[in-house]
Amino acid sequence: EERKEAGRAPPADKQARRAARAAAEWSGAPAQREWERQRQQVQKPSLCPVNRPRELQQFHRLSLKASLPTAEANSRPAPSGNGCPGNGCRFTSVASEAEGLLGRLAMAEHGPYLPHEPGYGLYQPGYGLFDDQTPDPDHRMLACQNAKAYLLQSSLTSGLNLYDHLVNVLTKILDERPANPVDIFENISKDVKAAQFQKKMDTLRDEHEILPSFESAEIRRNLFFKSDAGDEEREEELGEIPLPNVMETAFYFEQGGIGLSRDETYLIFLALKKLVSVQPIQTCRFWGRILGREKNYIIAEVQFREGEEEEETEEEEVIDEGDKRMDEVEDEDEEKEKNEPPKSTYKPPPVIPKEENGTGANKHVYFVCNEPGEPWVKLPPVTPAQIVCARKIKKFFTGRLDAPIVSFPPFPGNEANYLRAQIARISAGTHVSPLGYYRFSEEEGDEDEEGGGGRDDYEENPDFEPLSAFEMVESLSTWVHHVPSILKQGRCVWFNPLQKTEEEEGEEEEEEKDEVPDELQQETGPPLLTPLSEDEGIQNIPAWTVSLSTRLIPQYAVAILRSNRWPGAYAFACGTKFGNIYFGWGHKYSLGNHTPALPPPVQPEYPNGPEIREAADPTVEEELAFKAAQEQKALEGMEGEEEEEEEEFEEDEEEEEEDD
Amino acid sequence: MEPAALPTALQLAASGDTGLSLEKRAALGASLLLLQRDYRFERVWFWGCIQGVRGTYYIAQGLGPDLAAPRSRLYSLNCVEWSLLPPATVEMVEQAALLKGLFQGDPSFEYEYAEVNAEDDERFLEDGKELTIKEENRLVATIEQIDRAVGIIPRRAFMKTPLGSVHENRNFEGLSLTEAKKLSSYFHFTEPVNLKNKTLLEKADLDPSTDFLDSLEHDVPQAVKCKYAENLIQRFLWWDIPLKKCYQFGFLLLFCFWSSE
């Protein structure tokens, strides 16, 4: 190390050497020498990162190689705290530098040191470093040159040499000025070596990388384009926009700590606007987001304008008719076959029809997309069978609507149907509003309806007087459900599957002889607009948790409701505004882990009786012996037992035939 | 993560219910710094929140210079006043595993074992009293379990010094997109279990200063990756916790989830 430093700054001038020697003798402590060594180093070209052109860098490298102190080291007016010469940088070329060097060295250029400064008394001209160690300057020069030659030796394996490498490393450190470089010195060295392998000039240019994030960015950007001018005129004509103010609702939820980031909410807002402009929609609402394993679902709850839904039902009827025709053809084929296996007497339970679009569980239509900006996909209406099955299984959503649901009991449908069923359950269980916001619309004959449920219609109450947030939080009876609950059957309005239509009556009369149909009890659920205090909890956990968004400013607080039965369902109420939203996985809360239903027990076999019991075939000898015994018996008791013998013989023959 | 990075993290981590309202976020920024001053932590990380029936616990962790040392955990009900939690013991974890259901939100609440088997009775009951467990202990045990199960760091983010202490790697600049998609570039930040079982061939490829932990590859059930814009979000279905990582800014650890089991 000492040789290296000596190689860098050989005191070419005797005066300087003498000054250094005197100072060393005078102080005598090795610490001073160390300090001086550091000072020497500090005065090395301190490269201001601010103004440092390429040539200057080159200049400094050359100067390092030439092992001469450069202009700054000698032209420093005063010692400064950091090594940077500040405004006193003077950059000259190498040639002129060498000329002026000797002249500058002659002068003690390290500034007038005041007595209290550490450099005082040290730098006297004519004193050199390490003079006491190697008195002969020629030997020391030789030693330096040997050392430098050794460092410049290039390695056989990599072609680098230590000197160049160290120069590069130190240049990098001086460029970047990391904190505590000594701790990460090895890493820097490794990085410099690794940088050797990056070709800066290559005839082959890398193809510009297309990250998958570019596509998603493009989809999102398309949201920000306004549609054609024709739509603009239409918007101006329409007084009301079916689009809700999603940002306002998001603001209230944000008070309670619920919701997506503002950016994403705004993107969803724009996506909803696109949906509204494409589909004939009367009311629209951001329902929430359901997480999935690969992708998430963003769900919009929508009600179509009247008359716009009929297209869907026609398609479904066409499909049904097509299926019926297929069944008929198959039946005809089967009748042609002669050997028909016996028809099973199993009658599947009657299929409960789904509710009409616009009523009950199918009151709203739901649109789904994975990311805001992607086209919205409409979810099919839900059937009671799907809801009943969805109650028994627990599957995470993958994010693809056409993914199959493999479960037991087998779910009738794919992921789109399962998603729709869960949405229906969540809506029925957790959509709440402040008491009085909705009231029953007054119509005649509401009390006795055939469906057996309560009133179905509700409308906004124009006389709604909002309660303060504090009152909303105090008790749960200030909140009510405004979505009908789903019965065990899977519908909101009970359907009697034993209702016989005129066509089916004939068939069922015949079948009644075989079975006696059980009378199903009419199922009832809690009526509409029941307060939340009636909700059952799970064990000792209440069904809902209420809280205020802030206790510090109760005047502007928002009442936040959190469901414990469906984790992820939230509602807020603030004055006349309220909202519901769902962010979660789409599952109900279960205390333990989910245990899927076990398959039914193995059905018993036909009871083992003598008529089906297998027996080994008798061998020929046994048959002959048996025949002989029979004939003897016949001879002995001929007359009286003839009939019996015949019967026995027939039985024997029958047994033999069966054995065959 | 650091309180300064909280808003960014929450923006990325938005799965809907972070439980941190604006008021709480503002309070955290101030109270976590004061925690650092009072307890003389080198670093304070906001761990996340556990939502109970009546209240929410906000958890913070204080770290010293060694990242692998046992961390002090603090909890608060309002993000302003913090209380230190006792360190987790094996017994606490065992007892807490018997409990089911949500947290109550009251740290002094005592759970009573109503459905304990006869075998467990013999193990735990010594005085013949009904065994109760405080909610505080259950909280400690739950946090410990979560940390053990889903505390993950990207590869090469932490380095082990020869003295055994673990430090942040100052040369870590994040993972590239391809690396971020692989499960093998993430480690569990707990005592390694599988490391000794690796074959010598595999061990030869490892760098002992950075590969001193178990990787996520061999976990059952597998962690699930979810892409959100250009950032990668890891979700652990076992615990239903989103764990976020953004490869552009290094990494952020945030647990924010909905009660237990």
Side-chain angles (χ1 to χ4, degrees):
Chain A
E1 284 178 4
E2 293 173 3
R3 275 189 223 141
K4 202 195 307 172
E5 287 162 19
R8 287 229 190 88
D13 190 34
K14 287 192 179 177
Q15 282 183 346
R17 258 185 284 137
R18 252 184 273 132
R21 191 194 306 138
E25 280 173 358
W26 189 30
S27 55
Q32 296 277 5
R33 214 177 297 140
E34 182 65 41
W35 181 86
E36 200 193 354
R37 210 180 300 151
Q38 281 176 10
R39 272 202 70 95
Q40 288 273 346
Q41 249 182 334
V42 160
Q43 282 152 22
K44 279 302 146 275
S46 34
L47 307 161
C48 284
V50 178
N51 41 355
R52 220 181 23 89
R54 279 286 139 203
E55 314 136 23
L56 180 61
Q57 198 180 12
Q58 197 67 18
F59 158 65
H60 285 304
R61 293 188 51 177
L62 282 176
S63 70
L64 278 173
K65 286 201 176 179
S67 314
L68 292 169
T70 56
E72 294 100 304
N74 299 314
S75 66
R76 279 182 56 194
S80 50
N82 50 5
C84 184
N87 296 327
C89 289
R90 274 191 286 154
F91 306 111
T92 55
S93 65
V94 186
S96 61
E97 158 54 43
E99 289 167 5
L101 182 61
L102 285 174
R104 288 201 195 93
L105 269 180
M107 299 182 288
E109 290 275 343
H110 303 289
Y113 294 140
L114 301 175
H116 70 272
E117 281 171 349
Y120 183 67
L122 255 188
Y123 277 95
Q124 306 302 320
Y127 193 89
L129 207 55
F130 308 118
D131 268 355
D132 49 345
Q133 291 178 6
T134 319
D136 192 353
D138 290 331
H139 275 205
R140 198 166 57 220
M141 274 300 267
L142 191 62
C144 292
Q145 284 172 352
N146 284 344
K148 194 168 164 200
Y150 166 71
L151 292 178
L152 278 169
Q153 233 176 14
S154 49
S155 142
L156 286 173
T157 48
S158 60
L160 308 166
N161 65 35
L162 185 57
Y163 196 88
D164 283 339
H165 182 66
L166 283 171
V167 165
N168 289 337
V169 172
L170 288 173
T171 314
K172 183 172 177 176
I173 292 180
L174 291 169
D175 283 349
E176 293 173 3
R177 303 284 170 140
N180 298 338
V182 64
D183 294 332
I184 51 174
F185 184 75
E186 291 81 12
N187 285 339
I188 296 176
S189 168
K190 205 163 41 159
D191 284 343
V192 167
K193 279 192 188 166
Q196 296 267 336
F197 293 101
Q198 284 170 5
K199 280 198 179 166
K200 284 153 198 163
M201 291 285 292
D202 202 355
T203 48
L204 291 174
R205 260 187 283 168
D206 279 334
E207 198 182 282
H208 197 68
E209 213 184 322
I210 297 182
L211 298 167
S213 49
F214 292 163
E215 293 173 15
S216 57
E218 190 163 341
I219 291 175
R220 273 178 280 142
R221 187 189 63 156
N222 288 341
L223 280 175
F224 291 92
F225 287 137
K226 219 166 176 188
S227 45
D228 315 339
D231 287 339
E232 279 187 32
E233 293 171 5
R234 213 179 355 134
E235 281 173 20
E236 288 169 8
E237 286 173 3
L238 289 174
E240 284 181 16
I241 315 173
L243 188 66
N245 194 349
V246 172
M247 298 309 289
E248 193 182 355
T249 339
F251 164 76
Y252 286 114
F253 275 120
E254 199 183 357
Q255 298 295 306
I258 299 152
L260 307 168
S261 65
R262 288 214 188 133
D263 293 354
E264 203 174 352
T265 319
Y266 200 82
L267 289 174
I268 292 175
F269 194 19
L270 290 175
L272 278 179
K273 175 156 192 318
K274 267 218 162 157
L275 176 66
V276 164
S277 64
V278 169
Q279 301 270 350
I281 287 172
Q282 189 176 13
T283 57
C284 168
R285 195 175 78 85
F286 173 50
W287 186 90
R289 190 167 90 147
I290 286 189
L291 306 166
R293 292 173 58 124
E294 295 163 27
K295 292 180 259 191
N296 304 327
Y297 289 118
I298 295 171
I299 298 157
E301 188 184 69
V302 144
Q303 257 186 325
F304 280 122
R305 285 203 281 262
E306 295 176 6
E308 301 283 348
E309 284 184 62
E310 293 173 0
E311 299 174 4
E312 305 297 329
T313 50
E314 283 178 10
E315 286 177 15
E316 289 172 14
E317 286 175 14
V318 165
I319 294 169
D320 288 337
E321 284 173 16
D323 286 338
K324 281 183 197 164
R325 264 182 250 132
M326 289 291 295
D327 290 337
E328 289 170 2
V329 168
E330 288 173 7
D331 286 337
E332 288 171 5
D333 287 339
E334 280 184 301
E335 285 171 4
K336 289 175 188 170
E337 292 179 16
K338 289 180 186 175
N339 293 329
E340 281 184 27
K343 286 202 176 153
S344 78
T345 50
Y346 169 70
K347 250 183 55 179
V351 174
I352 301 170
K354 69 173 194 235
E355 293 176 289
E356 288 290 314
N357 292 346
T359 63
N362 285 323
K363 184 167 183 191
H364 298 276
V365 180
Y366 292 92
F367 283 88
V368 154
C369 73
N370 287 120
E371 296 276 330
E374 288 185 10
W376 292 90
V377 178
K378 185 172 156 185
L379 286 180
V382 67
T383 65
Q386 288 168 356
I387 291 190
V388 165
C389 191
R391 284 180 170 145
K392 297 181 191 158
I393 65 176
K394 182 171 182 177
K395 285 269 175 187
F396 282 104
F397 296 97
T398 58
R400 291 169 286 124
L401 282 174
D402 52 355
I405 304 269
V406 181
S407 66
F408 184 81
F411 187 78
N414 56 12
E415 182 155 316
N417 302 100
Y418 184 50
L419 180 63
R420 180 67 178 84
Q422 291 294 96
I423 292 174
R425 288 174 70 200
I426 292 172
S427 296
T430 63
H431 277 28
V432 296
S433 56
L435 178 68
Y437 193 90
Y438 288 117
R439 66 162 183 207
F440 291 116
S441 49
E442 295 170 1
E443 284 181 11
E444 300 173 357
D446 264 346
E447 295 179 2
D448 297 327
E449 283 186 0
E450 289 184 2
R455 306 163 188 168
D456 286 343
D457 290 335
Y458 57 86
E459 60 177 18
E460 278 187 35
N461 186 357
D463 305 327
F464 173 55
E465 284 173 12
L467 301 165
S468 76
F470 193 65
E471 288 170 3
M472 301 292 295
V473 168
E474 251 185 328
S475 85
L476 282 176
S477 52
T478 47
W479 300 79
V480 293
H481 287 278
H482 63 260
V483 174
S485 65
I486 301 183
L487 306 169
K488 226 168 134 184
Q489 203 182 40
R491 294 170 51 108
C492 295
V493 170
W494 192 73
F495 173 80
N496 191 350
L498 299 176
Q499 268 176 5
K500 297 159 196 169
T501 61
E502 293 178 359
E503 297 173 6
E504 296 173 357
E505 264 184 12
E507 295 177 13
E508 290 206 15
E509 281 178 8
E510 296 173 7
E511 291 169 2
E512 271 185 37
K513 293 172 193 170
D514 298 335
E515 298 169 5
V516 178
D518 303 332
E519 284 200 7
L520 290 174
Q521 289 206 344
Q522 191 180 35
E523 296 171 18
T524 52
L528 204 56
L529 298 190
T530 46
L532 294 196
S533 40
E534 312 267 333
D535 278 359
E536 296 171 4
I538 301 177
Q539 285 198 357
N540 56 346
I541 304 165
W544 296 89
T545 304
V546 212
S547 59
L548 272 177
S549 66
T550 161
R551 294 203 178 275
L552 301 171
I553 313 173
Q555 296 89 354
Y556 294 111
V558 177
I560 304 276
L561 202 60
R562 207 175 266 148
S563 171
N564 292 334
R565 285 212 302 207
W566 288 98
Y570 301 99
F572 82 89
C574 183
T576 53
K577 302 197 202 297
F578 82 97
N580 293 289
I581 212 156
Y582 182 83
F583 291 112
W585 293 96
H587 298 129
K588 199 167 187 174
Y589 179 72
S590 64
L591 217 58
N593 290 331
H594 169 74
T595 40
L598 291 173
V602 177
Q603 285 183 348
E605 294 190 359
Y606 197 87
N608 218 2
E611 59 267 18
I612 61 162
R613 188 181 310 138
E614 287 185 8
D617 281 357
T619 61
V620 179
E621 292 87 12
E622 286 179 15
E623 279 185 14
L624 291 176
F626 191 69
K627 252 190 180 177
Q630 291 295 320
E631 283 167 6
Q632 274 192 2
K633 276 191 188 173
L635 290 171
E636 288 171 5
M638 258 188 76
E639 294 178 0
E641 301 173 350
E642 277 183 4
E643 295 177 2
E644 291 175 5
E645 286 167 15
E646 285 174 357
E647 283 178 353
E648 284 177 2
F649 196 65
E650 284 172 8
E651 280 179 5
D652 294 339
E653 285 180 348
E654 282 181 35
E655 281 181 10
E656 286 172 27
E657 280 178 14
E658 283 178 11
D659 292 339
D660 287 341
Chain B
M1 83 255 7
E2 283 86 15
L6 205 53
T8 330
L10 287 176
Q11 208 178 3
L12 296 168
S15 70
D17 47 349
T18 49
L20 277 184
S21 61
L22 286 172
E23 183 191 332
K24 298 283 186 306
R25 255 187 263 176
L28 273 180
S31 62
L32 285 181
L33 284 177
L34 290 177
L35 261 188
Q36 192 174 356
R37 175 199 72 180
D38 292 337
Y39 284 86
R40 310 218 198 278
F41 292 134
E42 206 179 84
R43 249 190 288 210
V44 174
W45 278 357
F46 180 62
W47 185 90
C49 50
I50 297 185
Q51 288 177 3
V53 172
R54 288 199 284 271
T56 313
Y57 295 109
Y58 300 92
I59 316 285
Q61 271 179 347
L63 301 156
D66 181 12
L67 293 168
R71 306 171 174 181
S72 10
R73 294 190 175 111
L74 303 111
Y75 79 96
S76 159
L77 290 164
N78 55 4
C79 279
V80 178
E81 290 146 7
W82 299 83
S83 332
L84 197 60
L85 282 172
T89 61
V90 178
E91 193 188 285
M92 250 192 248
V93 173
E94 277 182 16
Q95 284 180 3
L98 297 171
L99 291 173
K100 288 189 183 178
L102 305 175
F103 278 86
Q104 288 298 320
D106 173 19
S108 54
F109 183 80
E110 301 216 337
Y111 294 93
E112 290 175 358
Y113 286 126
E115 306 165 359
V116 175
N117 300 333
E119 296 173 4
D120 292 332
D121 274 344
E122 287 167 17
R123 258 201 298 164
F124 290 128
L125 281 180
E126 291 172 354
D127 306 333
K129 294 183 211 163
E130 267 265 335
L131 195 61
T132 59
I133 177 169
K134 280 175 64 177
E135 173 138 319
E136 221 180 41
N137 293 343
R138 188 183 176 202
L139 189 66
V140 169
T142 314
I143 298 174
E144 179 70 28
Q145 277 186 301
I146 295 175
D147 258 347
R148 222 183 286 163
V150 294
I152 71 175
I153 54 165
R155 190 166 171 257
R156 278 186 274 113
F158 286 169
M159 292 182 60
K160 200 167 188 175
T161 59
L163 302 170
S165 58
V166 175
H167 293 276
E168 237 180 50
N169 182 3
R170 299 222 340 252
N171 274 12
F172 179 62
E173 289 163 6
L175 300 178
S176 67
L177 191 58
T178 41
E179 275 182 47
K181 284 188 191 167
K182 291 192 247 173
L183 278 179
S184 59
S185 37
Y186 301 98
F187 291 147
H188 278 289
F189 194 49
T190 50
E191 294 298 321
V193 172
N194 290 334
L195 215 54
K196 305 165 208 167
N197 299 339
K198 292 203 170 195
T199 64
L200 279 179
L201 272 179
E202 288 172 353
K203 276 198 217 171
D205 289 331
L206 301 178
D207 180 11
S209 64
T210 56
D211 295 318
F212 56 97
L213 301 165
D214 286 335
S215 97
L216 286 190
E217 272 179 309
H218 307 290
D219 269 1
V220 177
Q222 275 206 325
V224 154
K225 293 185 289 277
C226 217
K227 261 195 81 151
Y228 168 62
E230 63 273 11
N231 308 320
L232 214 54
I233 300 178
Q234 294 272 16
R235 288 189 197 280
F236 282 86
L237 294 178
W238 193 255
W239 271 99
D240 188 15
I241 296 163
L243 172 73
K244 321 303 179 185
K245 189 210 147 292
C246 169
Y247 73 90
Q248 286 168 334
F249 301 113
F251 71 100
L252 312 159
L253 276 172
L254 172 64
F255 306 110
C256 196
F257 79 118
W258 219 90
S259 193
S260 73
E261 269 130 71

